[in-house]
Amino acid sequence: MSSWEDEDSAAASAAATTDVELLKRAWRNEKAAPEILHFDSALVSRAREQIQLLEETLDDFTDNGVDDLVVSLYQMDLDRTLFLLRSYLRLRLQKIEKYMAHIANSDDLLSRLSQQEQRFAKSCKEIMEKHLEQSVLSKLPYGYDSVTRQSLSSTEDDMVPEPQLDTFVFCKTKSDVGAFQLDDIGEEVVDLVADDLYVLRYKSIKGLVEAGRIDLI
Amino acid sequence: MAGQSDPHLSLFSPSEVEFVAEDEIVEIVPNIRMEALNMICGDFGPFFPQIPSKVPLWLAVALKRRGKCTIRAPEWMTVERLTQVLDAERESPREFQPLPFHYIEISKLLFDHARDDITDAYLVRSLIEDIRDVRFHKVESGLETISGRTHAVKLKNLSAMEVNIVRPFMVRTLQAFYKHDSPQMIQQADNTGSRSTPVTDRGPRRDLRRR
């Protein structure tokens, strides 16, 4: 009996972890999380390869006169995957544009970006700084001409947009997490049961999202 | 002040929620013969006339629109099952009945493209609409119970589209309470209160907490 169940669950998990499924999860998490998440370069390059392969196959199909119906079905599959990938990449670019100064300040955040994204973040920041410098800051009096600080008397970078990490997010647990502490002092504890839906503070479940134990929706 | 979250960045559009739902698996009965499809999103088929086969909803709809199959309505989309759900939904004012996570999108797609494959389509449709209404009313009254003490909300069995609709209200409400209830904020208010701001500023905040 137990071997049957094992096979079943193994089959189910294999089915649930196609690259499209993984990409969809990454896309949803990225969309729902206030900050930029880790870029899964292995996954993205696998998706790219599969897309390219299917594009080539489709070319062959049209050359070989394969049934229009079959071609159109494969085309839909291709379009859906392309949409996911594009939307995922664009979403990340949007976040980078928005928080470029904040990301550039932190090695941890920078390490979450792909090579191309890092280059994008860097040049985006340079261009923006140059633009602000030329159009506004150079005309402001001394002490008020910083991109990142309101004035000389500011003790920290108070003009750098940062993602709001204590915002609330909708999430779904994949498996039992058990009693989970939401704050630092242990006043707020919730019991996270498998496959349930919660609205929680992003900051407190950040670790679970990164470990892939919980999905944002 | 930095850190205002952009409402558009983290929102799914209804069509994006539908896109996700289109990957749900349904059963079709093809009327043509077709080789297996080895797609990026998975392998389906081979297909033989009158032999049921499982495919994602988008594929089922594409075949249906070309007249190549009939779609078998999912088990839960029957008058009998939905009547039970509606009754249970009405009986328990604080709980949601288990329904597929994408029941709204799935039923909408099937009504739009495979109406003739659903038995008692008219009745099924009005039952689903009633269920939606009852559930949404619960969501709305649930919002009223959020207070400064709310640090987590559990929404067992809430569906994808329902999440999407309630998200902006829920998030902003929780955030506002969290912000005004945080010890930092209260301390700050006390400090400024003792220094310059009139005492009246502290009154209402205290009341809110004690409630």
Side-chain angles (χ1 to χ4, degrees), chain A:
Chain A
M1 262 320 261
S2 66
S3 69
W4 266 104
E5 278 164 24
D6 285 347
E7 262 174 55
D8 268 5
S9 63
S13 67
T17 46
T18 62
D19 283 337
V20 171
E21 210 55 47
L22 291 174
L23 191 60
K24 200 160 68 180
R25 188 184 297 159
W27 172 70
R28 289 168 86 167
N29 280 348
E30 193 68 66
K31 219 165 159 65
E35 62 173 345
I36 195 142
L37 302 174
H38 261 288
F39 184 75
D40 192 341
S41 24
L43 173 63
V44 170
S45 66
R46 281 204 306 274
R48 279 216 171 104
E49 269 168 34
Q50 292 184 50
I51 286 168
Q52 209 181 349
L53 201 69
L54 185 52
E55 277 171 342
E56 284 162 15
T57 318
L58 272 172
D59 284 342
D60 289 350
F61 277 175
T62 31
D63 293 343
N64 298 338
V66 172
D67 188 8
D68 277 353
L69 174 68
V70 176
V71 175
S72 75
L73 293 178
Y74 275 109
Q75 185 67 50
M76 284 179 82
D77 180 43
L78 177 67
D79 289 345
R80 290 177 67 83
T81 318
L82 275 173
F83 166 77
L84 257 189
L85 183 62
R86 286 187 185 132
S87 181
Y88 175 64
L89 295 176
R90 279 197 191 133
L91 204 58
R92 293 182 57 91
L93 289 184
Q94 266 175 296
K95 279 191 186 172
I96 294 171
E97 270 182 35
K98 195 163 175 215
Y99 303 120
M100 50 192 166
H102 177 63
I103 292 173
N105 281 342
S106 146
D107 285 339
D108 169 44
L109 290 174
L110 267 178
S111 72
R112 297 182 192 178
L113 310 189
S114 70
Q115 295 279 318
Q116 291 105 311
E117 284 172 342
Q118 287 182 3
R119 239 180 296 141
F120 175 77
K122 198 169 159 248
S123 59
C124 199
K125 184 170 175 267
E126 280 166 9
I127 293 166
M128 184 56 109
E129 277 171 1
K130 199 172 149 201
H131 168 68
L132 286 174
E133 181 65 43
Q134 285 174 352
S135 58
V136 186
L137 294 171
S138 59
K139 297 174 180 67
L140 291 180
Y142 171 76
Y144 294 92
D145 54 357
S146 158
V147 185
T148 51
R149 296 188 179 191
Q150 294 200 33
S151 72
L152 265 186
S153 57
S154 303
T155 48
E156 54 184 13
D157 291 349
D158 49 5
M159 293 222 297
V160 175
E162 280 176 32
Q164 200 172 1
L165 297 185
D166 52 15
T167 190
F168 285 80
V169 290
F170 285 72
C171 53
K172 222 173 177 178
T173 38
K174 286 196 235 173
S175 53
D176 279 340
V177 174
F180 187 75
Q181 196 174 319
L182 293 176
D183 57 355
D184 302 332
I185 42 174
E187 266 184 14
E188 305 171 354
V189 175
V190 278
D191 194 19
L192 298 179
V193 187
D195 213 31
D196 249 355
L197 208 154
Y198 301 87
V199 192
L200 300 168
R201 230 162 32 246
Y202 175 73
K203 211 175 185 169
S204 36
I205 56 152
K206 198 167 143 33
L208 294 178
V209 176
E210 280 161 5
R213 296 181 68 187
I214 206 168
D215 281 338
L216 301 182
I217 51 169

Side-chain angles (χ1 to χ4, degrees), chain B residues 17-40:
Chain B
V17 180
E18 195 177 277
F19 173 82
V20 177
E22 282 170 346
D23 283 333
E24 294 289 313
I25 299 294
V26 290
E27 204 171 46
I28 59 164
V29 182
N31 54 28
I32 48 155
R33 220 197 131 103
M34 195 165 59
E35 298 280 303
L37 300 166
N38 303 310
M39 297 183 151
I40 304 182

Side-chain angles (χ1 to χ4, degrees), chain B residues 77-209:
Chain B
M77 265 182 79
T78 57
V79 173
E80 196 194 344
R81 286 289 294 277
L82 290 171
T83 315
Q84 281 171 9
V85 172
L86 181 60
D87 287 346
E89 211 65 79
R90 285 191 170 134
E91 271 162 27
S92 48
R94 300 190 59 84
E95 271 172 46
F96 298 97
Q97 296 305 308
L99 274 171
F101 191 51
H102 290 289
Y103 82 95
I104 293 177
E105 304 89 299
I106 294 174
S107 60
K108 183 185 178 297
L109 282 164
L110 290 182
F111 280 124
D112 285 354
H113 302 287
R115 209 185 153 77
D116 51 330
D117 292 340
I118 303 162
T119 2
D120 303 319
Y122 180 78
L123 206 52
V124 168
R125 183 173 205 155
S126 75
L127 276 169
I128 290 179
E129 271 166 22
D130 287 350
I131 292 172
R132 275 182 68 167
D133 287 348
V134 177
R135 287 167 66 105
F136 205 74
H137 182 75
K138 282 185 214 176
V139 173
E140 280 174 345
S141 46
L143 275 177
E144 287 171 20
T145 64
I146 293 179
S147 75
R149 287 273 162 264
T150 316
H151 53 260
V153 182
K154 183 169 169 171
L155 294 162
K156 196 175 166 70
N157 294 332
L158 198 69
S159 81
M161 202 54 102
E162 287 157 353
V163 164
N164 214 41
I165 293 169
V166 77
R167 188 194 318 262
F169 304 103
M170 186 74 107
V171 169
R172 287 189 61 184
T173 316
L174 284 168
Q175 226 166 340
F177 272 117
Y178 176 70
K179 190 173 145 197
H180 294 292
D181 205 45
S182 75
Q184 233 179 351
M185 190 77 174
I186 289 156
Q187 226 164 40
Q188 221 175 37
D190 284 353
N191 284 345
T192 47
S194 58
R195 253 190 283 135
S196 57
T197 348
V199 192
T200 45
D201 198 37
R202 291 161 62 188
R205 207 168 259 126
R206 282 280 160 85
D207 280 352
L208 255 179
R209 287 202 76 207

